[in-house]
Structure formats: structure tokens, C-alpha cells
């Protein structure tokens, strides 16, 4: 008789096993079970302070603040006195218990002992709350990281307003003064990214993670960078970490949830948004309900998406965003339209631009007045499709402040951007009167485009002018190098600037484009004939000649060419 082998599948019970069970319970909002599993994880690894902090976090979410504080004090007293973030958690618990003096003491203790400032941004917000509740400022004389907080707050405001180059300058100064200010370094990485300086942004975020491998803001920022640069392998490795992360603080939960949504992990994002809504700390934020609706729509929970958007509408009745998506929802239900994939509390860029297409003044005013719209334009400049980027560049030309000029210059040196769109950016920069040499990455080469002539500032850029330019670019492509094409664009802007506002009707775009090529060839001493232009452009010789004469009358090209030729002969003879 054969001995039967028991059909038992062995498995290992360890801290990781119970941690994963706790996370599963959290996802289902079974807090009692989650607490039980976190307690078991503590039993298996009693000297691991992270397990204790997870348990304290669950107790805090359940409203059992005193028990949570007992656990946190135990970590500081017995397990790891250097785990200074426990002081920050204690401060939050005391604030929730309305023990504001104790919260202040714990928060000051945290800031005095943690110069790296992992929770620096959140601590600053809590300081504002305590200032209000105690009706007096907190004594901050001994706080190591406080000296740069004001500048850091200013830099964050600049980032939110889309003024990225100003933010970069301020953040770089902060880091020179305080190299271990990780929150500032994190935001510097974001600012580099918004300006298109991808390598610098990754390097900066990597420096944060070298100092603090678990820094959630850095991990989330890096995930977004990888998503938008199509670095699938790096993103996949990073997502393994983020899926297992259970943040303690509501702002960190919000950061993780929005990041997961942006990278397409809508189920996970939805769970975290629901968790935030259940805790009640951010339920007054209309954007949170909008984000939850976006996540719900992407996983097919359309009834819940509708309720979230309706709540967002009640919280912010003046916003156009919730009504816009509620109107779209029926078409999303039937599959006629896809759910929104971006997690921003504003209208899609195309929808915004459609409203303003017939009124350039409205675009200019909106960009100057509304930081959120301005920021969305800069975002679209980096992540929109070809048509959207062209629209954005032309719209930004209406504002033409230093921030716009810096953004367009950064766009020109990005090797990943389309050459044709860069030509539009060059044109806009010249049309608004920028005379500096421009460094441009064209077709794998880095070139410096000198300004050939000064031009008056053009207050608008008309689509008819653009049409002429595109005709010329199309025919000159492959026959002229990028410097010569740049000179053609500069000539066109020069002519328009000189005759504005009496710009002639440009009904014959082909004839005007041929005239531009004619003078470009002459300026670069290339052989050109009217018969060749007639053949390629389909315009009559009389039209091309007439338009060439008009350009010459305004710009004096023949006279300049004569002077150039005489100077050349003099130099040769000398």
C-alpha cells in the first residue's frame, strides 16, 4: 500500500505577507482587518520602524489618534530615535485632536531635527494652521530648514503660474544655500521638466532619491517623466515600488493617486481617491472629486463618475469643467468618446482654444490673468500633438513676456521636437522683436541663427501670413539650408513689420512665397530664375515680380545687396 503524500501547499508567513494582506484590506476599506495585519507584521519584524508607522497610520485614519501617538512615541523611544518623521505624524495627530500647543511642539521638534525636510511643504501648511488656531506665530529661530521656506513658497507659486525659468533661478539659489533641501530639489526637477530639459530633470530627481530612496514626491515625479518620455522599462520598475506604497499623509495619498492616474493605473488611482474622500480631509476640494470622476470613468464606473462630477459642480459652480464632462459622459458610456486621460482640473486644451480662436485678445488676456490656463499652455507646448503645439506657440506670441521667450528658447534646443514647429517658434520670436542670436537643434545639428535685421513688434500673427510662410517653406525644403530658411522667415517678418498695419491682401499666397524665395536666393548669391519659380509655385511671373518689388520697396534689399557687393570687392582688392 502506497503512502499518500499530503496535498498541502507550503507558504511562508512573514512580515511581507501580512503587509500585502493589509494593503488589500485597505483597498477594500476594511480598516479593522488592515490594522490586524499590520499588527501581525509588527510581531514578525518588531524592530522594523516602518511596520510600526504603518500601524500608526491606520490608527490615525480610524480616528484613534491617542493609540497612534503611543505607537509613534514607542518608535522614537525604543526602536529608532532618528526616525524624525514620527514627530511630524505626531503633530498631525495632535492637530486632529485640537491639541494645538502639543502639535506645535511636535512640529518644531520635527523641523529642528530634520534638515532634509521630507515633509517640508506639508509642515509649512501645518504651521499656517497652527498660527491661525493659536493666534500667534510659531517660534522658528532654531529650525534649520526655515530660512529658505519663504523663497521656496515663492518658487512654488511661480511653478503654478507657469513661470518656470523664474522658478528655476530661485530654486537653484535655494539649493546652493541649502543643498539638503530635498523639497526644493524636487521642484527644481519639475521646473526643468516643464522647460523641456529632460536630462537635467532626471538628474535632479535622482539626486533626491540618492539622499532619500523612499521620497514619494521624487518617485512620483520620476514616474511622470518616464511616462511622457516613453521609457517603458524604467517606468515598469518604478511602478512596482509605487503600487506597494501606502502613504500616511493625505497630501501624499493625493500625489500618489494623481501620479497613478497620469501613468494609466486608473484602478489604483481610483482606490486612493476613494480613500481620500472617505477620510473627509480633502472632500471640500472640487478637483479631488473631478480626479475621482476621471479615474471612475476610465474603469467603467460611469454612475460613480457622474456623482463625482455633480459634487465637483456643487463645490465650484463657476467652473466650466464639471458641466463639460457631464455633457460628455453619455457619449463616454456608449463608447462614442473615450474618457479623459489627463488629471487636470481644467478644460481640454483643444476646447479652450476653440473658444478663443476668433479673438486673439481673449487668448492674450486669459494667459496673462489666469495662472492655471497659462500653465496648461506651457504643458500643451511640451505634450500636445503637432497642431496643438503650433497653436500654443502662436498664442504665446501674443503675451511675449520673458517667461514666454525663455520657454520658446528651451523648445528650440530640444532635439526631440519637430523641426517645422521650431521654425514657427523662430518666426514668433522674431515677430515679437527678439534680436538675440537663437540656438536651435535642427535635424541633429545645433545651429546659431543670427538676427539679420531689426523688426518692429507685431501685435498679432495672422493665419494668412502663416500660409505664405508655409508655402515658401514647402518649396524651399531640400533646396536651402536651415540658415537660409531662417533668413527667409526673418525677411517676411521684417516686411510685415514695416508695412503693418497696412498689410496688403494676401490672396495669392503662392506669388508672395515665390517672391520671398527670390530675395532669399539673391541674399545668399544663389542662382534663381523667374521661370523656375513659376514652375514650382504655379504663380505668374508678373505676380512674383510685383510682390518682389513690394518687398524691396519696404525693406530696401537691392540697396543692401549693392552695398554688400561693393564691400566684398573692396575687401578682395585690399
Amino acid at each position: 500500500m502506497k503512502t499518500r503524500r499530503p496535498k498541502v501547499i507550503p507558504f511562508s508567513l512573514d512580515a511581507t505577507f501580512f503587509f500585502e494582506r493589509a494593503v488589500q484590506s485597505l483597498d477594500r476599506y476594511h480598516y479593522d482587518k488592515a490594522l490586524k495585519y499590520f499588527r501581525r507584521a509588527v510581531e514578525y519584524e518588531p524592530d522594523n520602524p516602518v511596520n510600526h508607522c504603518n500601524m500608526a497610520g491606520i490608527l490615525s485614519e480610524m480616528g484613534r489618534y491617542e493609540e497612534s501617538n503611543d505607537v509613534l512615541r514607542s518608535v522614537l523611544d525604543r526602536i529608532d530615535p532618528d526616525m524624525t518623521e514620527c514627530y511630524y505624524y505626531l503633530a498631525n495627530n495632535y492637530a486632529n485632536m485640537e491639541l494645538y500647543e502639543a502639535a506645535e511642539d511636535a512640529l518644531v521638534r520635527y523641523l529642528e531635527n530634520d534638515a532634509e525636510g521630507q515633509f517640508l511643504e506639508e509642515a509649512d501648511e501645518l504651521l499656517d494652521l497652527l498660527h491661525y488656531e493659536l493666534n500667534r506665530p510659531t517660534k522658528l529661530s532654531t529650525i534649520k530648514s526655515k530660512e529658505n521656506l519663504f523663497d521656496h513658497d515663492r518658487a512654488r507659486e511661480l511653478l503654478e503660474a507657469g513661470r518656470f525659468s523664474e522658478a528655476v533661478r530661485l530654486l537653484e539659489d535655494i539649493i546652493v544655500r541649502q543643498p539638503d533641501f530635498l523639497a526644493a530639489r524636487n521642484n527644481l526637477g519639475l521646473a526643468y521638466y516643464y522647460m523641456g530639459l529632460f536630462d537635467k530633470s532626471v538628474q535632479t530627481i535622482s539626486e533626491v532619491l540618492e539622499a532619500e530612496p523612499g521620497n514619494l514626491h521624487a518617485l512620483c515625479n520620476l514616474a511622470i517623466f518616464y511616462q511622457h518620455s516613453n521609457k517603458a522599462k524604467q517606468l515598469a520598475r518604478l511602478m512596482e515600488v509605487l503600487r506597494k506604497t501606502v502613504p500616511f499623509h493625505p497630501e501624499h495619498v493625493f500625489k500618489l493617486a494623481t501620479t497613478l492616474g497620469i501613468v494609466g493605473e486608473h484602478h489604483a488611482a481610483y482606490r486612493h481617491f476613494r480613500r481620500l474622500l472617505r477620510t473627509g480631509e480633502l472632500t471640500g476640494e472640487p478637483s479631488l472629486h473631478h480626479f475621482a470622476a476621471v479615474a471612475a470613468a476610465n474603469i467603467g464606473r460611469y454612475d460613480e463618475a457622474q456623482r463625482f462630477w455633480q459634487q465637483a459642480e456643487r463645490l465650484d459652480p463657476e467652473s466650466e469643467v464639471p458641466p463639460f464632462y457631464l455633457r460628455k459622459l453619455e457619449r463616454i458610456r456608449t463608447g462614442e468618446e473615450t474618457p479623459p486621460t489627463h488629471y487636470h482640473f481644467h478644460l481640454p486644451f483643444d476646447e479652450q482654444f476653440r473658444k478663443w480662436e476668433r479673438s486673439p485678445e481673449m487668448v492674450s488676456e486669459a494667459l496673462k490673468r489666469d495662472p492655471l490656463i497659462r500653465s496648461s499652455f506651457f504643458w500643451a507646448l511640451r505634450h500636445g500633438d503637432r497642431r496643438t503645439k503650433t497653436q500654443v506657440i502662436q498664442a504665446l506670441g501674443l503675451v511675449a513676456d520673458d517667461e514666454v521667450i525663455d520657454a520658446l528658447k528651451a523648445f528650440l534646443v530640444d532635439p526631440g521636437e519637430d523641426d517645422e514647429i521650431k521654425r514657427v517658434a523662430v518666426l514668433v520670436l522674431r515677430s515679437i522683436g527678439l534680436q538675440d542670436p537663437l540656438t536651435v537643434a535642427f535635424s541633429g545639428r545645433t545651429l546659431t541663427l543670427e538676427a539679420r535685421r531689426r523688426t518692429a513688434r507685431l501685435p498679432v500673427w495672422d493665419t494668412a501670413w502663416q500660409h505664405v510662410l508655409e508655402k515658401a517653406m514647402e518649396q524651399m525644403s531640400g533646396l536651402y539650408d536651415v540658415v537660409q530658411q531662417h533668413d527667409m522667415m526673418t525677411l517676411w517678418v521684417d516686411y510685415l513689420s514695416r508695412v503693418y498695419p497696412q498689410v496688403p491682401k494676401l490672396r495669392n499666397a503662392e506669388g508672395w512665397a515665390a517672391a520671398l524665395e527670390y530675395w532669399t536666393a539673391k541674399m545668399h548669391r544663389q542662382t534663381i530664375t523667374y521661370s523656375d519659380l513659376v514652375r514650382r509655385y504655379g504663380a505668374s511671373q508678373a505676380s512674383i515680380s510685383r510682390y518682389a518689388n513690394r518687398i524691396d520697396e519696404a525693406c530696401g534689399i537691392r540697396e543692401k545687396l549693392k552695398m554688400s557687393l561693393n564691400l566684398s570687392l573692396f575687401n578682395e582688392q585690399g
Side-chain angles (χ1 to χ4, degrees):
M1 180 177 174
K2 293 182 179 180
T3 304
R4 287 188 177 182
R5 299 181 65 182
K7 296 182 178 180
V8 177
I9 301 173
F11 66 97
S12 174
L13 292 176
D14 55 16
T16 301
F17 170 81
F18 288 110
F19 170 81
E20 291 173 352
R21 285 297 180 91
V23 171
Q24 292 171 8
S25 298
L26 270 179
D27 288 342
R28 300 184 178 96
Y29 312 112
H30 297 159
Y31 291 113
D32 288 335
K33 284 188 176 180
L35 178 60
K36 181 182 72 174
Y37 288 128
F38 276 134
R39 287 190 191 279
R40 294 300 304 277
V42 166
E43 290 172 9
Y44 275 88
E45 290 183 357
D47 295 327
N48 185 339
V50 175
N51 293 331
H52 293 265
C53 284
N54 285 333
M55 187 166 67
I58 288 294
L59 289 166
S60 182
E61 287 208 23
M62 296 171 72
R64 296 160 64 174
Y65 301 117
E66 190 54 57
E67 293 177 68
S68 175
N69 285 349
D70 288 341
V71 174
L72 293 169
R73 283 190 288 263
S74 174
V75 171
L76 291 167
D77 293 341
R78 297 187 302 101
I79 301 171
D80 187 357
D82 293 328
M83 200 162 185
T84 53
E85 56 263 44
C86 289
Y87 291 114
Y88 176 72
Y89 301 147
L90 283 165
N92 272 279
N93 284 340
Y94 283 130
N96 283 315
M97 298 165 70
E98 299 185 3
L99 300 173
Y100 300 117
E101 295 278 358
E104 180 185 50
D105 290 342
L107 190 61
V108 170
R109 190 84 176 268
Y110 165 68
L111 290 168
E112 286 177 338
N113 288 278
D114 194 343
E116 294 185 357
Q118 178 183 355
F119 296 106
L120 201 57
E121 295 178 28
E122 296 83 355
D124 204 31
E125 293 172 4
L126 187 53
L127 282 172
D128 290 338
L129 170 67
L130 296 176
H131 185 177
Y132 173 80
E133 294 291 348
L134 295 170
N135 197 27
R136 61 168 173 76
T138 304
K139 297 178 180 179
L140 302 172
S141 58
T142 59
I143 294 177
K144 299 176 184 177
S145 56
K146 187 62 185 176
E147 60 180 309
N148 289 315
L149 277 179
F150 177 80
D151 283 346
H152 185 242
D153 284 344
R154 174 62 181 153
R156 287 166 55 196
E157 291 171 3
L158 291 170
L159 276 178
E160 291 169 3
R163 296 163 64 181
F164 305 127
S165 58
E166 290 181 62
V168 163
R169 287 192 288 271
L170 191 52
L171 290 165
E172 287 176 340
D173 287 343
I174 292 171
I175 289 171
V176 168
R177 298 194 299 265
Q178 189 174 342
D180 55 4
F181 195 157
L182 297 188
R185 202 176 288 272
N186 247 328
N187 281 324
L188 179 60
L190 272 179
Y192 284 145
Y193 179 67
Y194 291 144
M195 293 178 69
L197 305 174
F198 180 76
D199 290 341
K200 291 187 76 171
S201 66
V202 171
Q203 178 186 344
T204 304
I205 295 299
S206 298
E207 290 167 357
V208 176
L209 292 172
E210 285 174 13
E212 187 178 290
N215 188 290
L216 185 63
H217 282 283
L219 292 170
C220 289
N221 290 340
L222 197 57
I224 293 171
F225 297 171
Y226 286 154
Q227 167 78 2
H228 287 291
S229 57
N230 297 316
K231 295 186 179 294
K233 290 184 179 179
Q234 294 93 323
L235 178 61
R237 288 196 295 269
L238 189 51
M239 291 311 300
E240 291 178 6
V241 176
L242 291 179
R243 288 191 196 100
K244 297 177 181 178
T245 301
V246 184
F248 179 89
H249 195 270
E251 279 74 14
H252 284 192
V253 180
F254 187 83
K255 175 78 173 181
L256 178 60
T258 51
T259 300
L260 291 167
I262 289 169
V263 301
E265 296 273 343
H266 302 295
H267 281 88
Y270 177 77
R271 290 196 298 271
H272 285 294
F273 286 131
R274 285 294 305 273
R275 178 181 162 201
L276 279 172
L277 289 168
R278 286 173 67 91
T279 61
E281 292 194 42
L282 299 175
T283 50
E285 291 288 334
S287 59
L288 175 57
H289 294 271
H290 168 68
F291 297 155
V294 172
N298 274 281
I299 62 176
R301 295 176 177 260
Y302 302 122
D303 290 341
E304 292 174 48
Q306 181 175 348
R307 287 197 295 272
F308 289 135
W309 272 316
Q310 287 171 339
Q311 180 62 14
E313 187 175 28
R314 284 191 287 270
L315 290 169
D316 189 356
E318 295 183 3
S319 173
E320 299 175 279
V321 177
F324 173 80
Y325 284 109
L326 284 169
R327 290 193 297 270
K328 286 174 65 78
L329 187 57
E330 284 308 312
R331 295 192 295 276
I332 294 173
R333 286 178 188 269
T334 59
E336 297 174 61
E337 292 193 27
T338 57
T341 55
H342 65 84
Y343 282 71
H344 302 292
F345 190 51
H346 54 66
L347 293 176
F349 179 81
D350 282 348
E351 184 67 21
Q352 290 177 347
F353 208 88
R354 197 175 296 116
K355 293 167 53 183
W356 301 327
E357 274 182 324
R358 297 179 183 177
S359 177
E361 294 77 14
M362 283 184 63
V363 184
S364 176
E365 187 60 31
L367 285 169
K368 291 175 181 176
R369 183 188 69 251
D370 192 328
L372 184 60
I373 292 175
R374 185 182 179 94
S375 181
S376 72
F377 268 60
F378 282 112
W379 183 265
L381 177 63
R382 285 295 164 196
H383 308 297
D385 57 24
R386 195 174 186 279
R387 176 176 174 273
T388 297
K389 289 180 179 181
T390 303
Q391 289 176 321
V392 167
I393 290 169
Q394 293 174 348
L396 291 175
L398 298 171
V399 180
D401 57 18
D402 290 342
E403 190 66 32
V404 165
I405 290 171
D406 288 342
L408 293 180
K409 283 182 174 180
F411 184 84
L412 291 177
V413 298
D414 188 340
E417 296 293 352
D418 183 271
D419 285 355
E420 292 301 316
I421 307 177
K422 287 178 184 173
R423 291 186 178 102
V424 177
V426 169
L427 177 67
V428 167
L429 285 168
R430 291 305 186 215
S431 74
I432 63 179
L434 184 70
Q435 301 305 319
D436 301 339
L438 294 174
T439 302
V440 190
F442 270 132
S443 303
R445 295 183 296 159
T446 300
L447 303 172
T448 299
L449 304 178
E450 301 290 341
R452 301 296 184 184
R453 51 186 63 79
R454 299 191 66 82
T455 65
R457 186 185 178 95
L458 291 170
V460 295
W461 183 255
D462 193 275
T463 53
W465 307 347
Q466 180 68 22
H467 189 48
V468 171
L469 182 70
E470 288 171 353
K471 288 285 183 184
M473 294 300 304
E474 180 184 342
Q475 290 298 327
M476 293 174 67
S477 180
L479 301 175
Y480 297 80
D481 62 30
V482 289
V483 173
Q484 293 163 341
Q485 292 177 48
H486 167 259
D487 285 349
M488 180 275 294
M489 290 190 288
T490 306
L491 173 59
W492 186 224
V493 174
D494 188 35
Y495 169 73
L496 293 170
S497 301
R498 290 174 186 275
V499 300
Y500 187 86
Q502 280 78 43
V503 178
K505 300 292 183 184
L506 303 175
R507 296 188 181 92
N508 187 351
E510 291 78 7
W512 282 99
L516 286 172
E517 181 179 338
Y518 174 83
W519 284 122
T520 303
K522 292 293 184 183
M523 288 189 293
H524 287 273
R525 300 183 185 180
Q526 288 195 193
T527 303
I528 191 77
T529 64
Y530 279 117
S531 59
D532 179 42
L533 293 171
V534 168
R535 177 180 57 81
R536 289 195 290 112
Y537 284 89
S540 68
Q541 180 173 333
S543 295
I544 298 172
S545 177
R546 182 168 67 253
Y547 300 145
N549 285 332
R550 286 197 183 185
I551 293 171
D552 178 49
E553 288 170 6
C555 302
I557 302 175
R558 281 192 178 92
E559 190 61 33
K560 291 174 184 174
L561 289 176
K562 282 182 184 177
M563 292 175 61
S564 175
L565 178 61
N566 291 337
L567 182 61
S568 174
L569 290 171
F570 174 80
N571 287 337
E572 288 173 12
Q573 291 167 1

PDB file of all heavy atoms in Angstrom, residues 272-289:
ATOM      1  N   HIS A 272      -7.196  55.066  -4.331  1.00  0.00           N
ATOM      2  CA  HIS A 272      -6.616  56.097  -3.471  1.00  0.00           C
ATOM      3  C   HIS A 272      -7.509  57.329  -3.389  1.00  0.00           C
ATOM      4  O   HIS A 272      -7.635  57.939  -2.315  1.00  0.00           O
ATOM      5  CB  HIS A 272      -5.221  56.474  -3.972  1.00  0.00           C
ATOM      6  CG  HIS A 272      -4.158  55.461  -3.667  1.00  0.00           C
ATOM      7  ND1 HIS A 272      -3.762  55.173  -2.382  1.00  0.00           N
ATOM      8  CD2 HIS A 272      -3.418  54.657  -4.479  1.00  0.00           C
ATOM      9  CE1 HIS A 272      -2.816  54.242  -2.397  1.00  0.00           C
ATOM     10  NE2 HIS A 272      -2.597  53.909  -3.667  1.00  0.00           N
ATOM     11  N   PHE A 273      -8.130  57.717  -4.511  1.00  0.00           N
ATOM     12  CA  PHE A 273      -9.044  58.860  -4.461  1.00  0.00           C
ATOM     13  C   PHE A 273     -10.228  58.561  -3.548  1.00  0.00           C
ATOM     14  O   PHE A 273     -10.660  59.417  -2.777  1.00  0.00           O
ATOM     15  CB  PHE A 273      -9.532  59.217  -5.869  1.00  0.00           C
ATOM     16  CG  PHE A 273      -8.499  59.907  -6.723  1.00  0.00           C
ATOM     17  CD1 PHE A 273      -8.231  59.471  -8.018  1.00  0.00           C
ATOM     18  CD2 PHE A 273      -7.798  61.005  -6.240  1.00  0.00           C
ATOM     19  CE1 PHE A 273      -7.283  60.103  -8.811  1.00  0.00           C
ATOM     20  CE2 PHE A 273      -6.844  61.646  -7.021  1.00  0.00           C
ATOM     21  CZ  PHE A 273      -6.585  61.193  -8.297  1.00  0.00           C
ATOM     22  N   ARG A 274     -10.761  57.339  -3.630  1.00  0.00           N
ATOM     23  CA  ARG A 274     -11.864  56.956  -2.758  1.00  0.00           C
ATOM     24  C   ARG A 274     -11.432  56.979  -1.294  1.00  0.00           C
ATOM     25  O   ARG A 274     -12.195  57.390  -0.415  1.00  0.00           O
ATOM     26  CB  ARG A 274     -12.367  55.557  -3.132  1.00  0.00           C
ATOM     27  CG  ARG A 274     -13.200  55.481  -4.400  1.00  0.00           C
ATOM     28  CD  ARG A 274     -14.528  56.214  -4.248  1.00  0.00           C
ATOM     29  NE  ARG A 274     -15.299  55.746  -3.112  1.00  0.00           N
ATOM     30  CZ  ARG A 274     -16.138  54.713  -3.155  1.00  0.00           C
ATOM     31  NH1 ARG A 274     -16.326  54.058  -4.296  1.00  0.00           N
ATOM     32  NH2 ARG A 274     -16.820  54.350  -2.080  1.00  0.00           N
ATOM     33  N   ARG A 275     -10.212  56.528  -1.062  1.00  0.00           N
ATOM     34  CA  ARG A 275      -9.694  56.533   0.303  1.00  0.00           C
ATOM     35  C   ARG A 275      -9.641  57.969   0.843  1.00  0.00           C
ATOM     36  O   ARG A 275     -10.019  58.235   1.998  1.00  0.00           O
ATOM     37  CB  ARG A 275      -8.302  55.902   0.299  1.00  0.00           C
ATOM     38  CG  ARG A 275      -7.607  55.882   1.653  1.00  0.00           C
ATOM     39  CD  ARG A 275      -6.221  55.265   1.509  1.00  0.00           C
ATOM     40  NE  ARG A 275      -5.377  55.596   2.644  1.00  0.00           N
ATOM     41  CZ  ARG A 275      -4.055  55.554   2.617  1.00  0.00           C
ATOM     42  NH1 ARG A 275      -3.432  55.199   1.509  1.00  0.00           N
ATOM     43  NH2 ARG A 275      -3.346  55.870   3.682  1.00  0.00           N
ATOM     44  N   LEU A 276      -9.197  58.913   0.012  1.00  0.00           N
ATOM     45  CA  LEU A 276      -9.147  60.310   0.430  1.00  0.00           C
ATOM     46  C   LEU A 276     -10.543  60.849   0.728  1.00  0.00           C
ATOM     47  O   LEU A 276     -10.756  61.576   1.704  1.00  0.00           O
ATOM     48  CB  LEU A 276      -8.496  61.164  -0.661  1.00  0.00           C
ATOM     49  CG  LEU A 276      -6.972  61.180  -0.717  1.00  0.00           C
ATOM     50  CD1 LEU A 276      -6.500  61.907  -1.965  1.00  0.00           C
ATOM     51  CD2 LEU A 276      -6.390  61.850   0.527  1.00  0.00           C
ATOM     52  N   LEU A 277     -11.490  60.515  -0.125  1.00  0.00           N
ATOM     53  CA  LEU A 277     -12.852  61.004   0.067  1.00  0.00           C
ATOM     54  C   LEU A 277     -13.488  60.423   1.326  1.00  0.00           C
ATOM     55  O   LEU A 277     -14.281  61.083   1.990  1.00  0.00           O
ATOM     56  CB  LEU A 277     -13.701  60.673  -1.168  1.00  0.00           C
ATOM     57  CG  LEU A 277     -13.350  61.491  -2.423  1.00  0.00           C
ATOM     58  CD1 LEU A 277     -14.028  60.914  -3.656  1.00  0.00           C
ATOM     59  CD2 LEU A 277     -13.754  62.947  -2.233  1.00  0.00           C
ATOM     60  N   ARG A 278     -13.124  59.186   1.652  1.00  0.00           N
ATOM     61  CA  ARG A 278     -13.689  58.557   2.851  1.00  0.00           C
ATOM     62  C   ARG A 278     -13.114  59.177   4.124  1.00  0.00           C
ATOM     63  O   ARG A 278     -13.805  59.259   5.147  1.00  0.00           O
ATOM     64  CB  ARG A 278     -13.411  57.055   2.843  1.00  0.00           C
ATOM     65  CG  ARG A 278     -14.269  56.287   1.849  1.00  0.00           C
ATOM     66  CD  ARG A 278     -13.825  54.839   1.778  1.00  0.00           C
ATOM     67  NE  ARG A 278     -14.092  54.132   3.019  1.00  0.00           N
ATOM     68  CZ  ARG A 278     -15.214  53.461   3.267  1.00  0.00           C
ATOM     69  NH1 ARG A 278     -16.172  53.425   2.358  1.00  0.00           N
ATOM     70  NH2 ARG A 278     -15.390  52.819   4.408  1.00  0.00           N
ATOM     71  N   THR A 279     -11.848  59.606   4.101  1.00  0.00           N
ATOM     72  CA  THR A 279     -11.253  60.196   5.305  1.00  0.00           C
ATOM     73  C   THR A 279     -11.825  61.576   5.595  1.00  0.00           C
ATOM     74  O   THR A 279     -11.802  62.030   6.738  1.00  0.00           O
ATOM     75  CB  THR A 279      -9.725  60.313   5.173  1.00  0.00           C
ATOM     76  OG1 THR A 279      -9.409  61.166   4.066  1.00  0.00           O
ATOM     77  CG2 THR A 279      -9.101  58.945   4.964  1.00  0.00           C
ATOM     78  N   GLY A 280     -12.305  62.262   4.553  1.00  0.00           N
ATOM     79  CA  GLY A 280     -13.000  63.537   4.744  1.00  0.00           C
ATOM     80  C   GLY A 280     -12.113  64.756   4.829  1.00  0.00           C
ATOM     81  O   GLY A 280     -12.622  65.879   4.912  1.00  0.00           O
ATOM     82  N   GLU A 281     -10.773  64.608   4.756  1.00  0.00           N
ATOM     83  CA  GLU A 281      -9.900  65.765   4.959  1.00  0.00           C
ATOM     84  C   GLU A 281      -9.857  66.695   3.750  1.00  0.00           C
ATOM     85  O   GLU A 281      -9.620  67.889   3.889  1.00  0.00           O
ATOM     86  CB  GLU A 281      -8.486  65.298   5.305  1.00  0.00           C
ATOM     87  CG  GLU A 281      -8.406  64.619   6.671  1.00  0.00           C
ATOM     88  CD  GLU A 281      -6.980  64.464   7.150  1.00  0.00           C
ATOM     89  OE1 GLU A 281      -6.198  65.409   6.985  1.00  0.00           O
ATOM     90  OE2 GLU A 281      -6.647  63.397   7.680  1.00  0.00           O
ATOM     91  N   LEU A 282     -10.068  66.161   2.545  1.00  0.00           N
ATOM     92  CA  LEU A 282      -9.983  66.976   1.337  1.00  0.00           C
ATOM     93  C   LEU A 282     -11.292  66.973   0.548  1.00  0.00           C
ATOM     94  O   LEU A 282     -11.305  67.336  -0.622  1.00  0.00           O
ATOM     95  CB  LEU A 282      -8.845  66.461   0.429  1.00  0.00           C
ATOM     96  CG  LEU A 282      -7.437  66.488   1.013  1.00  0.00           C
ATOM     97  CD1 LEU A 282      -6.445  65.834   0.055  1.00  0.00           C
ATOM     98  CD2 LEU A 282      -6.983  67.919   1.299  1.00  0.00           C
ATOM     99  N   THR A 283     -12.386  66.600   1.199  1.00  0.00           N
ATOM    100  CA  THR A 283     -13.650  66.452   0.467  1.00  0.00           C
ATOM    101  C   THR A 283     -14.199  67.791  -0.020  1.00  0.00           C
ATOM    102  O   THR A 283     -15.080  67.819  -0.880  1.00  0.00           O
ATOM    103  CB  THR A 283     -14.714  65.767   1.346  1.00  0.00           C
ATOM    104  OG1 THR A 283     -14.773  66.439   2.607  1.00  0.00           O
ATOM    105  CG2 THR A 283     -14.379  64.308   1.560  1.00  0.00           C
ATOM    106  N   GLY A 284     -13.686  68.908   0.513  1.00  0.00           N
ATOM    107  CA  GLY A 284     -14.139  70.215   0.032  1.00  0.00           C
ATOM    108  C   GLY A 284     -13.426  70.686  -1.211  1.00  0.00           C
ATOM    109  O   GLY A 284     -13.743  71.756  -1.742  1.00  0.00           O
ATOM    110  N   GLU A 285     -12.473  69.888  -1.712  1.00  0.00           N
ATOM    111  CA  GLU A 285     -11.722  70.263  -2.903  1.00  0.00           C
ATOM    112  C   GLU A 285     -12.438  69.753  -4.152  1.00  0.00           C
ATOM    113  O   GLU A 285     -12.517  68.540  -4.365  1.00  0.00           O
ATOM    114  CB  GLU A 285     -10.308  69.665  -2.857  1.00  0.00           C
ATOM    115  CG  GLU A 285      -9.403  70.273  -1.812  1.00  0.00           C
ATOM    116  CD  GLU A 285      -8.981  71.685  -2.190  1.00  0.00           C
ATOM    117  OE1 GLU A 285      -8.965  72.004  -3.403  1.00  0.00           O
ATOM    118  OE2 GLU A 285      -8.691  72.471  -1.277  1.00  0.00           O
ATOM    119  N   PRO A 286     -12.960  70.645  -5.005  1.00  0.00           N
ATOM    120  CA  PRO A 286     -13.649  70.172  -6.217  1.00  0.00           C
ATOM    121  C   PRO A 286     -12.742  69.370  -7.138  1.00  0.00           C
ATOM    122  O   PRO A 286     -13.190  68.440  -7.809  1.00  0.00           O
ATOM    123  CB  PRO A 286     -14.123  71.467  -6.894  1.00  0.00           C
ATOM    124  CG  PRO A 286     -13.310  72.558  -6.284  1.00  0.00           C
ATOM    125  CD  PRO A 286     -12.975  72.107  -4.903  1.00  0.00           C
ATOM    126  N   SER A 287     -11.444  69.708  -7.153  1.00  0.00           N
ATOM    127  CA  SER A 287     -10.525  68.984  -8.032  1.00  0.00           C
ATOM    128  C   SER A 287     -10.427  67.515  -7.637  1.00  0.00           C
ATOM    129  O   SER A 287     -10.294  66.647  -8.508  1.00  0.00           O
ATOM    130  CB  SER A 287      -9.132  69.626  -7.998  1.00  0.00           C
ATOM    131  OG  SER A 287      -8.610  69.615  -6.684  1.00  0.00           O
ATOM    132  N   LEU A 288     -10.510  67.207  -6.326  1.00  0.00           N
ATOM    133  CA  LEU A 288     -10.439  65.813  -5.893  1.00  0.00           C
ATOM    134  C   LEU A 288     -11.618  65.017  -6.448  1.00  0.00           C
ATOM    135  O   LEU A 288     -11.447  63.890  -6.918  1.00  0.00           O
ATOM    136  CB  LEU A 288     -10.423  65.734  -4.365  1.00  0.00           C
ATOM    137  CG  LEU A 288     -10.467  64.323  -3.760  1.00  0.00           C
ATOM    138  CD1 LEU A 288      -9.311  63.474  -4.262  1.00  0.00           C
ATOM    139  CD2 LEU A 288     -10.445  64.405  -2.228  1.00  0.00           C
ATOM    140  N   HIS A 289     -12.803  65.583  -6.424  1.00  0.00           N
ATOM    141  CA  HIS A 289     -13.974  64.900  -6.976  1.00  0.00           C
ATOM    142  C   HIS A 289     -13.836  64.741  -8.495  1.00  0.00           C
ATOM    143  O   HIS A 289     -14.239  63.711  -9.056  1.00  0.00           O
ATOM    144  CB  HIS A 289     -15.241  65.673  -6.626  1.00  0.00           C
ATOM    145  CG  HIS A 289     -15.543  65.701  -5.156  1.00  0.00           C
ATOM    146  ND1 HIS A 289     -16.291  64.732  -4.526  1.00  0.00           N
ATOM    147  CD2 HIS A 289     -15.152  66.572  -4.181  1.00  0.00           C
ATOM    148  CE1 HIS A 289     -16.374  65.005  -3.230  1.00  0.00           C
ATOM    149  NE2 HIS A 289     -15.682  66.115  -2.996  1.00  0.00           N
TER     150      HIS A 289
END
